[in-house]
Amino acid sequence: MKPIQMVDLKSQYLKIKNELDEAVVKVMESSAYINGPAVKNFQQHLEEYLKVKHVIPCGNGTDALQVAMMALNLKPGDEVITTPFTFIATVEVVGLLGLTPVFVDVEPDTFNMDVRQLELAITQKTKAIVPVHLFGQCCNMQEIMRIADKHGLAVIEDNCQAIGAEVFIDNYPLQKSGTLGTIGCTSFFPSKNLGCYGDGGALFTNDDELDYRIRGIVNHGMFTRYYHDMIGVNSRLDSIQAAILDIKLKHLDEYIAARQQAALYYDKAFAGHPKIQTPVVASHTTHVFHQYTLKLTNVDRFRLIENMKEAGVPVMIYYPVPLHLQKAFAHLGHEKGDFPVAEALCDCVVSLPMHTELDEEQLKYITDNFIRFID
């Protein structure tokens, strides 16, 4: 049996090695390393895949979130609503820009924003909502957009973990995650479902004016060379990473199917176990399983993780501390108990290996050992 990894990037690479190597060499031969043809090609192909008007590549997913807020002209003191159960980047950029994060708790089954609480968090200072499509499935975008439209708020979709997921909205054809809000953001970090071999990210929008502003912001606020119309940043996807992503984009649906197949194996293996709750897929979305995350009951997680590690199986906790209780956000004055669902999840979730190269032998070994250590 091959060694088990949380993400097996090498095996994935070897399957498409010739395609990738040829694409990288082509960039090297062109010497167009920044904003070269490879970037433009990838941008166009991702626009076609997502059926969105504009894709703006950038340096990473965190930059994408920050640039989105800059493009919307958010000012210090403006409030941005999001959830406390996510990676810190979602809220880190809010703090960097002097904005105020306002948290809404998550649903206990999907782990995504609880839209029933959303409207209660809106004040006169609220300017934007940042729903996080966590672990690979989408928030209830139909209700989020209804509330946002009612209150005149922008919506920035944090789609860093759910690229390729599809959203069901009444009277509309299926839409890709990240394309329903004002701006969508994604990350191409290597472990993502569509990952490069370094850092990378992108923003999506159907708004021509926002597209223009974003393209300026990611390039030092510059639209004409050496003429700077606004304060911007230096955040560009380099041509080598774009070439790699362009090849991997052709395989994205295949990768999603492989993840879904692995998730189905896990689901069946754990079905009915009294201490394990498998992922719940909401009716309004597909799930692309960036992570396969379980909720455990009456289990010593840390002992379980140590036992699995000794058996050669990595198991991770995403995330051990909710954002409102992180030291970085102590100034917000939150206490334990403010967002009980997020806090409870941080105390009971574990994520199993999830990637495109898992085979049945590995999946059986993982699930057999997991159940053995729990029982």
Side-chain angles (χ1 to χ4, degrees):
M1 184 178 70
K2 291 189 304 181
I4 297 171
Q5 303 175 55
M6 284 299 290
V7 182
D8 187 354
L9 294 176
K10 184 173 182 180
S11 294
Q12 187 188 70
Y13 161 68
L14 291 175
K15 283 188 176 180
I16 54 173
K17 181 180 185 301
N18 291 339
E19 291 178 87
L20 288 173
D21 290 357
E22 182 180 347
V24 170
V25 169
K26 188 174 180 180
V27 173
M28 301 291 283
E29 289 175 344
S30 76
S31 298
Y33 299 118
I34 301 293
N35 287 333
V39 178
K40 294 177 176 61
N41 289 338
F42 171 62
Q43 173 191 313
Q44 178 185 340
H45 295 151
L46 189 55
E47 287 169 348
E48 293 168 355
Y49 176 83
L50 295 172
K51 296 182 173 62
V52 70
K53 196 170 182 181
H54 304 291
V55 166
I56 307 95
C58 66
N60 55 69
T62 306
D63 281 1
L65 290 161
Q66 178 175 328
V67 169
M69 295 177 195
M70 293 171 69
L72 292 169
N73 205 28
L74 302 187
K75 302 294 186 185
D78 288 346
E79 292 179 354
V80 176
I81 298 175
T82 190
T83 72
F85 189 61
T86 179
F87 183 59
I88 193 170
T90 310
V91 183
E92 185 176 38
V93 296
V94 177
L96 282 170
L97 294 173
L99 312 172
T100 302
V102 174
F103 295 115
V104 168
D105 214 343
V106 295
E107 297 172 333
D109 50 0
T110 68
F111 313 149
N112 280 334
M113 180 180 285
D114 188 342
V115 295
R116 297 170 301 178
Q117 301 182 37
L118 177 56
E119 205 156 11
L120 298 174
I122 296 173
T123 73
Q124 291 184 341
K125 293 183 179 180
T126 306
K127 294 296 186 291
I129 303 168
V130 184
V132 181
H133 303 322
L134 197 70
F135 298 155
Q137 69 173 324
C138 297
C139 299
N140 185 346
M141 287 303 297
Q142 179 165 307
E143 184 63 9
I144 289 170
M145 293 307 297
R146 184 192 69 78
I147 293 171
D149 290 344
K150 176 181 174 182
H151 294 273
L153 303 175
V155 175
I156 302 169
E157 291 181 73
D158 184 336
N159 194 43
C160 292
Q161 297 187 13
I163 193 165
E166 294 182 314
V167 186
F168 307 96
I169 291 185
D170 293 346
N171 303 318
Y172 285 89
L174 285 176
Q175 293 177 265
K176 296 289 188 182
S177 60
T179 67
L180 292 93
T182 316
I183 302 173
C185 300
T186 202
S187 165
F188 301 127
F189 187 78
S191 65
K192 303 298 186 183
N193 293 31
L194 178 61
C196 55
Y197 294 157
D199 268 325
L203 301 95
F204 325 135
T205 186
N206 288 302
D207 186 303
D208 294 343
E209 184 177 342
L210 281 173
D211 169 64
Y212 179 79
R213 285 180 57 79
I214 291 167
R215 290 187 192 281
I217 291 170
V218 300
N219 193 29
H220 299 287
M222 181 171 60
F223 301 97
T224 302
R225 194 166 179 82
Y226 301 127
Y227 290 82
H228 305 272
D229 295 356
M230 62 182 74
I231 298 297
V233 296
N234 177 19
S235 184
R236 297 172 297 213
L237 181 68
D238 73 71
S239 297
I240 290 176
Q241 301 304 336
I244 291 166
L245 288 164
D246 205 25
I247 296 298
K248 294 184 75 176
L249 178 60
K250 299 173 186 176
H251 298 274
L252 179 55
D253 287 342
E254 166 195 333
Y255 293 159
I256 290 171
R259 287 171 176 269
Q260 290 170 334
Q261 194 63 32
L264 182 61
Y265 187 101
Y266 282 143
D267 286 347
K268 291 179 178 178
F270 298 135
H273 196 291
K275 295 182 179 181
I276 302 173
Q277 180 178 314
T278 55
V280 173
V281 182
S283 60
H284 56 260
T285 178
T286 60
H287 201 317
V288 298
F289 290 100
H290 172 60
Q291 302 293 351
Y292 185 89
T293 301
L294 301 168
K295 287 172 60 177
L296 303 181
T297 303
N298 298 323
V299 173
D300 184 336
R301 280 191 307 173
F302 295 101
R303 183 177 179 183
L304 169 67
I305 291 169
E306 193 59 35
N307 286 338
M308 292 293 283
K309 181 179 179 181
E310 290 176 3
V313 181
V315 176
M316 301 292 291
I317 297 175
Y318 304 114
Y319 299 95
V321 181
L323 295 183
H324 68 285
L325 298 181
Q326 296 280 1
K327 289 182 181 179
F329 300 110
H331 63 281
L332 297 175
H334 288 298
E335 299 177 352
K336 193 168 185 178
D338 285 354
F339 303 99
V341 177
E343 293 167 21
L345 291 174
C346 288
D347 288 338
C348 75
V349 295
V350 295
S351 297
L352 299 182
M354 175 51 71
H355 54 81
T356 60
E357 309 307 310
L358 286 165
D359 59 39
E360 190 165 334
E361 183 183 18
Q362 290 176 311
L363 289 165
K364 186 176 189 306
Y365 183 83
I366 293 166
T367 53
D368 285 352
N369 278 280
F370 197 85
I371 292 170
R372 177 166 66 91
F373 291 132
I374 281 182
D375 293 340

